[in-house]
Amino acid sequence: MLLAEVAQATQRLADAGVPSPRNDAEELAAFVHGVKRGELHSVKDADFDARYWEVVARREAREPLQHITGRAFFRYLELQVGPGVFVPRPETESVVGWAIDAVRAMDVVEPLIVDLCTGSGAIALALAQEVPRSRVHAVELSEDALRWTRKNVEGSRVDLRQGDARDAFHDLDGQVDLVISNPPYIPLTEWEYVAPEARDHDPEMSLFSGEDGLDLIRGLERTAHRLLRPGGVVVIEHADTQGGQVPWIFTEERGWADAADHPDLNNRPRFATARRALP
């Protein structure tokens, strides 16, 4: 019975324009019935929970799957998320993967890492987990987001602070090995084209940044230059439509070298990197 209901829910979600209807129908069924997705076949007909259709209706209305289940998966993490905090996206996993490789290649015993605009804490926690001897610091401005971040970083090695990313961590100036950020980067002019899950549910301050979407990134360029040691690396996520634009913010005249763009798993430009120039 449950698998038949999941098939019906998949069709409903597809008709509503949900991008991954089968995945979401199964995730919701697993959530309601307290099993893993691979165990859905084991749920007996008599144990079918009618609340399934309540959560399907919420997803049909384009409420984010992660808000309904209260959890988001990111690399090897399960994070708590909900209204008020940006839901981490799969595209960012490749950004973190590049950063982890870059830190390992530095051959620094205890690398110092700063995550600007940390949101749920996904990036900071992934780096702390996958680079075991790293010292990871993260900053978030929004009190609404921080309610979730604090839950996620509890018991971890991440040093979490509240503040403006453009003016954070003066105590670490010139010492940091890697600065990483997934900042707001959507142009205000693109508002109507943003998926309802993000536009109607993610915090506005985590999405939009000026007419061209690059206002905050321009500010973070100065922050990164201040924080990094010579030879240290910055990694900044951006929209796939901004490929080519972001590396030009990290110019030689401003003290950078090796500025470049990198593709995500779909081969779209997804993040820019640069190295603080040696003196």
Side-chain angles (χ1 to χ4, degrees):
M1 177 181 178
L2 180 56
L3 295 180
E5 303 279 2
V6 167
Q8 194 180 334
T10 299
Q11 188 58 56
R12 274 179 56 175
L13 295 180
D15 292 345
V18 170
S20 49
R22 180 82 196 181
N23 171 81
D24 291 17
E26 291 181 355
E27 279 286 347
L28 291 170
F31 167 67
V32 168
H33 293 90
V35 297
K36 294 180 177 160
R37 271 176 71 188
E39 300 167 347
L40 289 174
H41 64 277
S42 68
V43 177
K44 299 184 178 70
D45 289 357
D47 294 333
F48 175 75
D49 192 328
R51 287 178 303 169
Y52 179 54
W53 292 113
E54 293 174 20
V55 297
V56 168
R58 289 169 64 185
R59 187 69 189 100
E60 208 172 5
R62 304 300 291 272
E63 184 177 344
L65 171 71
Q66 297 87 349
H67 282 198
I68 299 169
T69 63
R71 63 190 184 197
F73 299 99
F74 186 83
R75 292 183 70 87
Y76 305 106
L77 301 166
E78 183 177 322
L79 302 159
Q80 296 183 62
V81 295
V85 70
F86 180 80
V87 173
R89 306 298 202 263
E91 300 82 44
T92 307
E93 295 191 17
S94 57
V95 183
V96 172
W98 190 96
I100 289 168
D101 291 343
V103 171
R104 287 176 178 160
M106 287 175 187
D107 204 25
V108 176
V109 178
E110 294 183 346
L112 186 56
I113 297 170
V114 167
D115 175 19
L116 302 172
C117 312
T118 195
S120 66
I123 290 175
L125 286 163
L127 285 160
Q129 182 184 64
E130 295 181 59
V131 187
R133 297 191 66 180
S134 58
R135 295 166 291 153
V136 182
H137 303 264
V139 65
E140 173 57 47
L141 181 59
S142 163
E143 187 59 54
D144 288 338
L146 277 163
R147 284 205 297 272
W148 297 99
T149 328
R150 290 184 183 113
K151 292 178 185 178
N152 289 324
V153 304
E154 189 177 356
S156 76
R157 293 182 292 108
V158 174
D159 163 41
L160 175 65
R161 306 185 198 180
Q162 180 171 17
D164 188 324
R166 292 165 294 189
D167 193 42
F169 300 117
H170 283 279
D171 53 315
L172 302 178
D173 284 355
Q175 304 170 54
V176 178
D177 297 297
L178 178 94
V179 170
I180 186 167
S181 182
N182 177 17
Y185 50 67
I186 300 174
L188 288 167
T189 50
E190 299 289 310
W191 186 89
E192 64 191 286
Y193 304 112
V194 178
E197 286 87 347
R199 186 186 64 217
D200 301 337
H201 297 278
D202 277 325
E204 216 167 277
M205 70 182 291
S206 72
L207 299 176
F208 301 100
S209 188
E211 287 299 309
D212 63 356
L214 300 176
D215 280 6
L216 187 56
I217 291 178
R218 292 187 187 96
L220 296 185
E221 178 269 327
R222 286 293 84 193
T223 306
H225 193 271
R226 166 172 63 79
L227 288 170
L228 288 169
R229 61 166 173 80
V233 173
V234 61
V235 186
I236 300 264
E237 183 171 334
H238 58 70
D240 54 10
T241 54
Q242 293 164 334
Q245 292 175 265
V246 178
W248 284 103
I249 295 172
F250 295 84
T251 61
E252 288 182 20
E253 294 77 19
R254 296 180 77 83
W256 297 99
D258 307 325
D261 244 328
H262 304 265
D264 60 18
L265 297 175
N266 297 315
N267 217 27
R268 295 177 178 143
R270 177 57 58 192
F271 60 101
T273 63
R275 191 176 299 278
R276 182 174 170 182
L278 298 171

